[in-house]
Amino acid sequence: MGRILALDYGSKRTGIAITDELQLIASGLTTVATPELLDFLKKYFTSEKVELVLVGEPKQKDGTPSNIEDEIQKFLKKFSNVFPDLQVKRVDERYTSKMAFQTMIDSGLKKKQRQNKALVDEISATIILQEYLYNK
C-alpha cells in the first residue's frame, strides 16, 4: 500500500503532508516554495511509494472557487503531464488555515512561532489529509 500525500497549494508556498504506509496517520512533511514544487515531488516520489495525491480545493463561503483556483488548475495540468499514472483528488479546504492557526494556539506555540506562514501551510495540508482519511 502506498502513502497518500496532500498539498495545500499557495502562490508562494505549498504545504505538504503525508500518511504512513498503512494510511492511518497524517503528518506534516514540509513546506516548499511553489516554483520548486514539481522538482521536490519528483525527488520524493523516487524514494517513497505514493498512490494518491490530494490537492486542496479552496472555495469562498458561498461555494464558488477561490481566486487561486486558476493557478491550481495550471499546476494540475503540469502535474498530470509529469506524473500521468498518479491519481489526484481534490478536497475542500475551506477554513483549514484558520483551523491550522487555532491548532498552533492550542498547542502552545508562542506568537512569534505562530507568525511562521510556512508552518501554517504545512499544518493546513495535514488537516486536509486528516479530513480525507476520516471521511474515506
Side-chain angles (χ1 to χ4, degrees):
M1 188 181 291
R3 298 174 185 264
I4 300 173
L5 183 130
L7 302 174
D8 179 30
Y9 188 93
S11 55
K12 295 180 183 176
R13 290 172 311 278
T14 298
I16 304 172
I18 192 78
T19 64
D20 59 326
E21 290 91 353
L22 297 175
Q23 300 179 359
L24 299 173
I25 301 169
S27 302
L29 181 63
T30 190
T31 302
V32 176
T34 297
E36 300 166 12
L37 181 58
L38 281 175
D39 288 334
F40 174 85
L41 292 174
K42 285 178 194 174
K43 290 176 188 168
Y44 189 80
F45 294 158
T46 60
S47 64
E48 296 290 341
K49 183 179 180 210
V50 174
E51 71 179 43
L52 174 63
V53 175
L54 306 174
V55 178
E57 187 172 14
K59 295 181 182 180
Q60 306 290 344
K61 285 182 183 179
D62 64 2
T64 59
S66 183
N67 298 337
I68 196 168
E69 184 61 26
D70 289 340
E71 276 185 62
I72 294 172
Q73 288 300 321
K74 289 175 188 172
F75 166 75
L76 289 173
K77 205 170 270 190
K78 289 178 189 174
F79 183 92
S80 66
N81 287 335
V82 176
F83 309 107
D85 299 328
L86 203 49
Q87 182 184 8
V88 175
K89 286 187 181 179
R90 301 296 304 277
V91 178
D92 187 348
E93 68 166 59
R94 277 181 279 195
Y95 308 113
T96 56
S97 292
K98 288 181 182 178
M99 291 167 62
F101 192 73
Q102 188 60 50
T103 300
M104 294 170 80
I105 291 170
D106 294 345
S107 63
L109 291 180
K110 304 254 186 269
K111 186 175 183 180
K112 183 92 171 157
Q113 294 169 306
R114 293 192 310 255
Q115 293 172 342
N116 180 351
K117 293 185 190 304
L119 183 56
V120 173
D121 293 337
E122 184 179 326
I123 294 170
S124 294
T126 307
I127 292 169
I128 291 168
L129 186 51
Q130 285 174 329
E131 290 289 318
Y132 176 81
L133 292 173
Y134 182 75
N135 293 312
K136 79 172 191 177

